[in-house]
Amino acid sequence: MSQMQLSKKTEGIFHLVNKYIYRKDLVKLSSLYDNAKWGETHRFAQHYQKHFSPLRLKKLNILEIGVGGYDNPKAGGESLRMWKQYFPKSMIYGIDYVDKKHFEEDRIKIFQGDQSDEYFLKKVVSEIGDIHIVIDDGSSINEHRIKTFNTLFPALKEGGIYAEENIHISYWPSLGSKWSELAEKSAFLANCVNVGGSLDLNVSNTIMAMYKRLADGLNYQEFLNPGYCPSYFDKNIVSIHFYHNQVIVYKGNNNEGSNIIENNTIRPYILEELGVESLEDLGLEFPKSSQ
């Protein structure tokens, strides 16, 4: 065995030992798998450590969208292996548009399909069964991510966590036909050119816009809007955590009432304190839409 081969073997053993030593520390563990994704640029691991550490030793079904490596069927897979190491009793599932079954192994299973295809996602859910954590690091197209959330969040178990990475695409508008032609030659360029974000922070069709609305929904019982009909997400999201380029959502029963509002109208004793007999006496103009 040459000196170079011996050095590589020693380095490989050292790498494996470190993965075992740091198996409880997601920040250090992540740097051993894919530093390009988990290094200083993204800073995701520190937040996942905070939210996932209480669940580390539980038996979970974890689904990550986006295996990595773009259109190369033998590139990527680092995140799946990292989650397998961090969650020693859990089953790790992946979804990718490209066939990435090359990375399947014990406790890792990969589905090939389009994350914007509701039928495909529901088929995945039916095969997995209970899903406890979803991590979306897939398509860079806002519309795809929104469709995925609308399909998979309802499939989460009570107490489940939905994590969204790379929120920056909310702020990137799609480019013109000149760049679209270039994007046909590269999956990476396609991810940059066709995202469907906007320079306008007040638009309604981006990932971030969706999460801003969902944040309002946490307080739906405080809405002064008679006849308001709470959405599924109003009633089943209990917290949303915003970080740079990342959002983490907890599923639960959002039924905590209000001291002042009941059924989206002011409680009678408050009206009495205001010196009026009905809500109409306040002269307010309520939203025409219930949503």
Side-chain angles (χ1 to χ4, degrees), residues 265-282:
T265 190
I266 296 178
R267 291 177 182 267
Y269 81 91
I270 301 295
L271 292 174
E272 186 177 342
E273 289 287 334
L274 292 170
V276 297
E277 294 183 358
S278 68
L279 196 61
E280 289 73 20
D281 293 336
L282 295 177

Side-chain angles (χ1 to χ4, degrees), residues 119-284:
Y119 174 78
F120 163 70
L121 291 179
K122 288 184 174 181
K123 188 176 179 182
V124 168
V125 170
S126 67
E127 186 164 338
I128 294 175
D130 294 338
I131 300 178
H132 304 91
I133 296 175
V134 174
I135 302 162
D136 194 345
D137 182 29
S139 172
S140 291
I141 298 175
N142 279 265
E143 182 184 359
H144 291 180
R145 294 287 198 95
I146 292 169
K147 285 182 177 180
T148 303
F149 179 84
N150 287 335
T151 303
L152 290 184
F153 184 84
L156 271 180
K157 285 285 290 181
E158 183 89 1
I161 299 175
Y162 195 102
E164 191 98 52
E165 298 180 4
N166 297 327
I167 306 302
H168 66 273
I169 60 174
S170 296
Y171 312 109
W172 290 12
S174 295
L175 302 179
S177 57
K178 172 184 175 182
W179 289 274
S180 294
E181 292 172 6
L182 289 173
E184 293 178 3
K185 303 175 183 178
S186 163
F188 172 76
L189 283 178
N191 284 340
C192 297
V193 169
N194 300 317
V195 294
S198 176
L199 300 177
D200 182 357
L201 302 183
N202 296 313
V203 298
S204 61
N205 61 343
T206 66
I207 301 172
M208 194 61 188
M210 177 187 74
Y211 283 115
K212 288 176 183 177
R213 291 192 298 273
L214 294 176
D216 279 328
L218 290 169
N219 303 301
Y220 77 92
Q221 297 213 41
E222 307 291 348
F223 296 171
L224 185 52
N225 184 4
Y228 178 80
C229 181
S231 71
Y232 174 87
F233 300 109
D234 290 341
K235 295 187 288 186
N236 289 279
I237 292 177
V238 291
S239 68
I240 305 177
H241 303 259
F242 292 91
Y243 302 101
H244 173 213
N245 217 11
Q246 183 184 28
V247 178
I248 296 177
V249 184
Y250 280 73
K251 185 174 183 178
N253 188 0
N254 183 21
N255 62 356
E256 191 174 84
S258 168
N259 292 328
I260 298 175
I261 306 295
E262 184 176 23
N263 296 324
N264 300 109
T265 190
I266 296 178
R267 291 177 182 267
Y269 81 91
I270 301 295
L271 292 174
E272 186 177 342
E273 289 287 334
L274 292 170
V276 297
E277 294 183 358
S278 68
L279 196 61
E280 289 73 20
D281 293 336
L282 295 177
L284 300 175

Side-chain angles (χ1 to χ4, degrees), residues 27-44:
V27 175
K28 291 181 179 178
L29 185 65
S30 63
S31 66
L32 298 173
Y33 282 88
D34 187 354
N35 198 46
K37 171 178 176 177
W38 297 99
E40 285 298 315
T41 304
H42 289 278
R43 300 183 290 276
F44 295 155

